[in-house]
Amino acid sequence: MIVPYLILCAIGIVMVYSASSNVAVENGTTPSAYLVRQAFWVVIGLGITIFMTAMNTRYLHYKQFYWIGMILLDCVLIWLLAAGKTINGASGWISFGPINIQPAEFVKFFLIVATASRLGRRSDEKPMLSGHWWGINAKPIILSAFMIGLVLVQPDMGSAVIITGILVMMYLGSGFSYKLMLAIVGSGIAFYFCVLLPIMFKIGKATNVSNYKLARIVAFVDPFGHQSGSGLQLVNSYYAISNGGLFGVGLGNSIQKRGYLPEPNTDFIMSIISEELGLIGIIIILCLLAFIVCRAIYIGIHSENTFNIMVCYGVATYFALQAFVNIGGVVGFLPITGVTFPFISYGGSSMMSLTLCLGLLINVSAQEKNCKKKGAVNNAGNSRKRRFSRLRVQFKTGTAIKTVWARCVRF
């Protein structure tokens, strides 16, 4: 997993520089300003990955970790509603000089670990499988829902959807009734198509929408009808993808990044990659990320520890959903939500959250390998003992036969 991660980060550094050089000059800095920052966050992320790989995950099981993290994040999210820095319509940022931190990104990591720890406790396994699922998980679900609600009202729809998807997949893998889950998912899909979509189309017919989030819905429904306003970003994303074709126009030769496409180094960096590197470049990036996701699922399937299983499923869902929501917004399949692409888009908070999860995933993989090695050694030792015992029996049996034969001959 470490090799695909490093390749993705290297591609991200190069493409952030390519996509942001014009933006940096327009902002009054040097063309390499975002390159230096992205390289800095990659180095920080690599350090986080190494730390999480080496740490003892026993500390993540402590109840103190759960309650301190929950209270701290809730307080920060509530404070953001009143005094948070507003970027692109969402007051979800804390500013430390030139550095902006987005706490919602760390909520993803925290809830993965907290939920995995909760589901991994042995005392919960029997009741959960015997039909008392809701009674055991009601409290953590309500607390998690409250935290998701705080993220949603910032408003940060993309992060709220991703966190909800992560928790749904983790609970689904923990013994939750598949029939009930299918009923919930089916109801959600029906609600989207029968209620939300008609409302969005009705809003999309509006010619003047002042609310930032509603403007994004308008752009999703009819981007070309509002291409001089809220649909500008998506329309130029279409142009970038169309220009790129199969092999792209070449690294650094994008037209849309030169003042036409807003946020070319963050939300819409995949549009620039598509224009410069073509469909081939997009496929390579998706394959690298898919390898990490599939590897996480594989480790989870072959794990014996419930905590490790839930962590693998949660991290795999996080990476896959983040990529899906970002690509969906870029191609107009989903409303634009401001979600970055994993390890590629510019952003420090996203990089730290992703590397926290990746480091924990590598840690879990190493634990499982060590357990299997110990199990193999024990099995080898047991088989050796059994083989020696058989030889001992055979030796004793042969000696006894010889003694009986000698006595018979003597007789």
Side-chain angles (χ1 to χ4, degrees):
M1 285 182 291
I2 195 71
V3 174
Y5 155 65
L6 292 175
I7 295 173
L8 285 172
C9 287
I11 294 172
I13 291 173
V14 173
M15 292 312 303
V16 163
Y17 174 62
S18 176
S20 66
S21 55
N22 290 284
V23 176
V25 172
E26 289 174 5
N27 293 338
T29 58
T30 61
S32 60
Y34 287 100
L35 167 68
V36 174
R37 293 178 192 174
Q38 182 69 1
F40 170 76
W41 288 120
V42 168
V43 172
I44 294 295
L46 186 60
I48 291 172
T49 303
I50 294 170
F51 172 77
M52 292 301 297
T53 302
M55 80 170 293
N56 190 339
T57 57
R58 184 183 71 235
Y59 300 115
L60 299 178
H61 294 271
Y62 292 162
K63 289 185 177 180
Q64 291 89 333
F65 168 81
Y66 178 82
W67 287 111
I68 291 173
M70 178 70 72
I71 294 170
L72 181 62
L73 284 172
D74 281 342
C75 290
V76 170
L77 292 173
I78 292 171
W79 178 82
L80 286 174
L81 299 177
K85 183 177 180 180
T86 302
I87 299 178
N88 292 335
S91 57
W93 303 80
I94 300 175
S95 182
F96 297 99
I99 298 175
N100 296 316
I101 300 297
Q102 189 177 15
E105 292 293 336
F106 299 98
V107 173
K108 300 170 186 175
F109 168 74
F110 170 75
L111 286 181
I112 287 173
V113 175
T115 305
S117 178
R118 175 69 182 174
L119 295 174
R121 291 176 191 165
R122 293 181 181 178
S123 60
D124 292 350
E125 288 177 3
K126 273 190 176 181
M128 194 160 62
L129 295 175
S130 61
H132 297 82
W133 188 93
W134 174 252
I136 289 173
N137 294 288
K139 188 175 180 180
I141 287 176
I142 292 171
L143 292 173
S144 299
F146 177 72
M147 187 175 284
I148 293 171
L150 291 175
V151 173
L152 186 61
V153 297
Q154 290 181 1
D156 188 353
M157 176 67 76
S159 294
V161 168
I162 291 170
I163 296 168
T164 303
I166 292 169
L167 295 182
V168 167
M169 291 305 298
M170 292 180 72
Y171 280 112
L172 181 60
S174 69
F176 190 86
S177 171
Y178 283 86
K179 292 181 180 179
L180 182 58
M181 180 59 72
L182 287 174
I184 294 172
V185 173
S187 301
I189 294 172
F191 180 76
Y192 174 77
F193 282 102
C194 297
V195 180
L196 287 183
L197 207 58
I199 292 174
M200 285 193 291
F201 273 100
K202 189 168 286 188
I203 294 172
K205 294 178 182 179
T207 56
N208 185 20
V209 178
S210 58
N211 184 278
Y212 183 78
K213 292 299 177 184
L214 290 180
R216 286 191 166 187
I217 294 174
V218 168
F220 166 67
V221 174
D222 186 15
F224 287 96
H226 302 83
Q227 59 181 329
S228 60
S230 58
L232 175 69
Q233 202 169 19
L234 187 54
V235 168
N236 282 284
S237 175
Y238 288 154
Y239 290 154
I241 295 169
S242 176
N243 290 341
L246 187 61
F247 298 104
V249 297
L251 185 63
N253 295 328
S254 169
I255 297 172
Q256 297 304 313
K257 70 181 181 183
R258 296 170 185 173
Y260 297 102
L261 178 64
E263 309 292 343
N265 57 327
T266 54
D267 306 359
F268 280 78
I269 194 169
M270 294 301 283
S271 300
I272 303 302
I273 293 174
S274 178
E275 186 178 12
E276 295 188 351
L277 305 181
L279 180 62
I280 300 298
I282 295 293
I283 290 174
I284 290 172
I285 290 171
L286 292 179
C287 287
L288 290 169
L289 186 65
F291 178 84
I292 297 175
V293 172
C294 292
R295 181 64 183 167
I297 294 171
Y298 176 84
I299 295 168
I301 291 172
H302 291 83
S303 296
E304 297 180 359
N305 182 282
T306 307
F307 173 79
N308 292 349
I309 294 171
M310 293 297 104
V311 164
C312 291
Y313 291 167
V315 173
T317 305
Y318 175 18
F319 289 0
L321 262 183
Q322 184 107 348
F324 175 75
V325 173
N326 177 268
I327 293 289
V330 165
V331 301
F333 180 74
L334 297 172
I336 299 168
T337 56
V339 170
T340 58
F341 192 90
F343 305 113
I344 298 291
S345 297
Y346 171 77
S349 301
S350 176
M351 182 64 72
M352 286 192 285
S353 174
L354 290 164
T355 49
L356 280 168
C357 291
L358 182 68
L360 182 58
L361 185 62
I362 296 172
N363 192 320
V364 166
S365 177
Q367 288 180 35
E368 293 300 325
K369 285 182 181 178
N370 290 335
C371 289
K372 287 178 181 178
K373 283 181 181 179
K374 289 179 181 178
V377 169
N378 292 336
N379 290 335
N382 293 334
S383 63
R384 198 177 294 114
K385 288 178 182 177
R386 287 195 296 270
R387 190 163 60 250
F388 285 148
S389 63
R390 282 199 302 270
L391 290 173
R392 231 179 276 121
V393 170
Q394 291 172 2
F395 176 76
K396 290 180 180 178
T397 304
T399 305
I401 291 172
K402 287 179 181 178
T403 304
V404 171
W405 174 255
R407 286 179 182 176
C408 289
V409 170
R410 205 177 298 132
F411 176 76

